[in-house]
Amino acid sequence: MLIPRPRLSTPGVGAFEITPSTRIAADAASESVRLYLQQTLRGSTGLPVRDAADDAAPTAPDTISLRVAPEGLPAGPGGSVTEAFRLVVTPEGVQVTGGAAAGVFYGVQALLQLLPADVYRSGRVGTGPWTVPAQTVEDAPAFAWRGVMLDVVRHFRTTAEVLRVIDQLAAHRINTLHFHLTDDQGWRIEIQKYPRLTEVGSWRRESQVGAHVLGDDGVQRPQSFDGRPHGGYYTQDDLREVIAYAADRFVTVVPEIETPGHVRAALAAYPSLGVHPDRPVEVWTEWGIADDVLNAEDSTIDFFRDVFDEVIALFPSAYIGLGGDECPKVQWESDPRTQERIRSLGLADAEQLQAWIIGQLAAHIESRGRRAFGWDEILEGGTLAPSATVVSWRGLRGATTAARRGHDVISTPDDQVYLDYRQSDLPNEPIPVSIVLGVDDVFRFDPVPEDLTDAERAHVIGGQGNMWTEHVDDVRKLDYQLFPRVAALSEALWSADVAGPRDLDDFRGRLVEHLARLQAMGVEYRHETGPFPWQERPGVPGRPASREDRAAYIDAVTANIAG
């Protein structure tokens, strides 16, 4: 009863029991996986699970063997040989073989799911038996990029809370944490060359409560604010800890620094970066999109080149995010200095100015040996470098356009995998925002648009779910929004349709067992019956939408990137 569903699972006869005499053998490449498995088993079972002798044979009795396959393993449709694994359980022992250490780790995740759910507890709760049914599992992922985006700007999450999320993702074979670190409402990463980014930009004086509501004058405004300062940031050592912890669990942390819009926190710290440096702004206390944007001066581009240099020095990820979404043009269009800059650069309009700024920063990232990625608005303006990767969030139109233009694509359509959206039409749903997006909707997610050729489909490297946190102000609400939808996401991205047509009833049956694992992990997931009383947020204004209204809006705002 594995989640995600494996490509091949063949039952055997009998079971293997973990006892005081059980040992773990590992080759050099799998040593970190051995430590992970030992820590997990020792905590929950209370058993010693000691190291086997270095020369122990993979088939030694009462041994869990962790090894990289010298002959390799078949790759999944996403081309990942490193993440493929084979798990063989017999009454005599367990063999986990991976295409690389990552594959061994995912084989261990399958092994843990085959044990009683209490194996996920941090302390011993019983005496066992700790048995694994005999079987053979062979598996590999459908997509190389299997991600979750975590917004720590709207509501900050401590380092310990981020590590907890990484553990949750790793248990579901999610291999990418897209870390949204800057926005209008805060700046969360220490940049040593520019200390005011965190000294000033990491705190706001209060926060909006609920969604915007329509006033009698036809204008959308916040109904209320909480009156409490909010903030925090990660030192560079904090981020090194997060990156190293994630790497031990084969999760890549990919940073995102927003430009040229969603930058009000940066402008509060350094007003000279803005179009109107003589008009100071504060870190924004509202949700939504502020009109404030970067100016297009060389000094501002150089400032963000410096920022990205420190980000690149911290994060070893191949990809570095530069934002590019929801950039208002009103300040550029009304500012004489910006209009002169557009003319001097030989550009046609503010749309092309945004593309020019993105191009300058993307080129700098790529000059440092990394790949720039941004939201699908970076397709606008028509000058995006072929090496840039597009995150398609406004439906899948951006994915289609980008793939046809030869860009790699990460699909994250808001109407399928935005994990901040409400989960039912129930009046007591705590996050009453936008369309209803339940577990079944996420389960059906396919990152690949239907109308692509085989060559174009190869550019879709995967997908992710996005966890925006305007309305998620503590870790309990974060659990509620993430789970069990992340379990459905993991199946959509790992299994896809490789093991046969998707079967919602089959998934639902396996999910029943998986909820016991989430319970043992301490995850306060959303129950099928709806929120418990303590998960509700009475009196918080909402703004529900229908799928038809949302689709019409997306069609309108993406019309200029079709093709």
Side-chain angles (χ1 to χ4, degrees):
M1 304 295 277
L2 299 178
I3 289 181
R5 179 178 61 167
R7 289 198 291 174
L8 177 65
S9 180
T10 306
V13 177
F16 173 77
E17 182 177 356
I18 300 173
T19 69
S21 62
T22 300
R23 301 289 189 269
I24 301 179
D27 60 11
S30 308
E31 187 58 34
S32 67
V33 185
R34 167 160 53 186
L35 293 174
Y36 173 90
L37 181 58
Q38 282 178 323
Q39 290 168 359
T40 303
L41 294 178
R42 285 171 176 172
S44 55
T45 70
L47 298 172
V49 283
R50 299 184 178 91
D51 293 353
D54 292 340
D55 58 352
T59 57
D62 208 18
T63 297
I64 301 172
S65 173
L66 312 176
R67 300 186 187 279
V68 172
E71 72 283 3
L73 292 173
S80 176
V81 176
T82 61
E83 294 180 309
F85 70 85
R86 181 184 298 115
L87 168 65
V88 180
V89 181
T90 69
E92 290 73 36
V94 176
Q95 296 178 53
V96 181
T97 309
V104 177
F105 182 80
Y106 294 132
V108 162
Q109 294 304 327
L111 171 64
L112 291 172
Q113 286 194 4
L114 294 173
L115 282 158
D118 282 339
V119 77
Y120 289 98
R121 295 186 181 274
S122 298
R124 184 177 178 180
V125 297
T127 58
W130 300 97
T131 56
V132 187
Q135 60 191 283
T136 298
V137 178
E138 296 184 11
D139 211 356
F143 294 98
W145 183 294
R146 306 181 305 281
V148 166
M149 188 284 302
L150 178 61
D151 165 25
V152 292
V153 174
R154 277 45 177 253
H155 282 102
F156 181 67
R157 299 271 62 83
T158 66
T159 301
E161 290 168 341
V162 174
L163 301 185
R164 180 175 179 269
V165 170
I166 289 168
D167 278 331
Q168 295 167 352
L169 300 185
H172 290 83
R173 302 188 218 166
I174 299 293
N175 67 355
T176 305
L177 174 64
H178 173 176
F179 213 13
H180 186 79
L181 289 165
T182 73
D183 216 297
D184 293 317
Q185 296 84 4
W187 187 282
R188 305 287 179 231
I189 173 174
E190 177 190 23
I191 301 297
Q192 293 176 347
K193 188 168 185 177
Y194 301 114
R196 286 178 60 83
L197 287 171
T198 46
E199 290 172 357
V200 174
S202 68
W203 289 91
R204 59 178 182 263
R205 59 182 172 83
E206 61 182 355
S207 303
Q208 177 179 337
V209 176
H212 286 72
V213 293
L214 188 64
D216 294 338
D217 57 0
V219 177
Q220 296 275 1
R221 294 187 180 88
Q223 186 179 44
S224 63
F225 293 86
D226 63 8
R228 299 179 302 172
H230 180 85
Y233 69 92
Y234 306 101
T235 68
Q236 294 196 1
D237 279 344
D238 290 334
L239 292 169
R240 291 185 183 99
E241 178 185 3
V242 168
I243 293 162
Y245 189 90
D248 283 343
R249 287 150 183 78
F250 299 89
V251 174
T252 300
V253 183
V254 179
E256 181 193 359
I257 305 297
E258 276 278 12
T259 63
H262 284 295
V263 290
R264 184 155 164 167
L267 302 185
Y270 293 94
S272 62
L273 302 172
V275 175
H276 301 296
D278 56 334
R279 304 178 196 171
V281 296
E282 64 174 348
V283 179
W284 213 29
T285 59
E286 295 185 30
W287 312 139
I289 309 166
D291 286 339
D292 306 282
V293 295
L294 298 178
N295 64 46
E297 302 299 319
D298 288 337
S299 58
T300 296
I301 302 299
D302 287 341
F303 181 102
F304 275 87
R305 287 187 180 115
D306 292 340
V307 168
F308 280 112
D309 280 343
E310 291 199 29
V311 171
I312 289 167
L314 275 171
F315 290 86
S317 57
Y319 294 86
I320 303 292
L322 43 61
D325 62 313
E326 298 178 326
C327 179
K329 311 298 189 297
V330 59
Q331 289 188 346
W332 289 341
E333 290 169 346
S334 62
D335 176 55
R337 183 179 62 154
T338 303
Q339 290 299 307
E340 176 57 33
R341 180 66 163 161
I342 289 173
R343 288 189 291 271
S344 69
L345 292 170
L347 304 175
D349 53 24
E351 205 73 59
Q352 288 194 359
L353 180 63
Q354 176 177 348
W356 179 83
I357 293 173
I358 291 294
Q360 294 296 302
L361 297 176
H364 183 74
I365 290 169
E366 289 160 14
S367 75
R368 298 296 191 261
R370 309 298 181 88
R371 295 188 64 177
F373 79 96
W375 304 100
D376 57 42
E377 285 94 334
I378 66 176
L379 289 165
E380 299 166 1
T383 58
L384 186 63
S387 60
T389 297
V390 175
V391 183
S392 180
W393 74 276
R394 297 176 298 178
L396 287 176
R397 179 172 286 174
T400 300
T401 301
R404 287 176 175 168
R405 294 181 187 176
H407 298 286
D408 282 350
V409 174
I410 301 156
S411 295
T412 180
D414 80 307
D415 61 343
Q416 298 182 60
V417 286
Y418 263 42
L419 303 176
D420 59 316
Y421 284 2
R422 60 195 176 115
Q423 301 186 62
S424 76
D425 279 323
L426 293 172
N428 59 342
E429 196 68 59
I431 313 294
V433 174
S434 196
I435 62 172
V436 172
L437 191 64
V439 171
D440 296 359
D441 299 301
V442 177
F443 174 78
R444 297 186 185 101
F445 170 48
D446 185 348
V448 184
E450 292 181 356
D451 53 351
L452 297 182
T453 66
D454 288 345
E456 292 164 348
R457 291 170 68 91
H459 281 293
V460 182
I461 62 175
Q464 65 182 36
N466 289 344
M467 185 63 253
W468 302 104
T469 60
E470 287 90 339
H471 312 291
V472 180
D473 56 4
D474 63 36
V475 73
R476 299 181 77 183
K477 295 185 183 73
L478 186 63
D479 278 3
Y480 181 91
Q481 291 301 116
L482 287 175
F483 292 98
R485 290 189 292 186
V486 165
L489 178 71
S490 74
E491 181 129 341
L493 295 175
W494 178 282
S495 306
D497 299 316
V498 176
R502 299 188 201 194
D503 185 334
L504 180 59
D505 290 338
D506 172 72
F507 171 74
R508 280 287 187 175
R510 286 180 285 119
L511 183 60
V512 170
E513 287 194 11
H514 193 68
L515 295 179
R517 299 174 192 136
L518 295 179
Q519 186 78 26
M521 291 179 199
V523 176
E524 197 167 353
Y525 61 88
R526 182 189 188 275
H527 286 248
E528 183 68 17
T529 54
F532 292 125
W534 56 88
Q535 293 172 324
E536 299 173 6
R537 298 188 74 185
V540 174
R543 193 171 61 191
S546 70
R547 284 192 170 267
E548 292 75 18
D549 289 344
R550 186 64 187 170
Y553 170 76
I554 293 300
D555 280 344
V557 298
T558 59
N560 64 338
I561 64 170

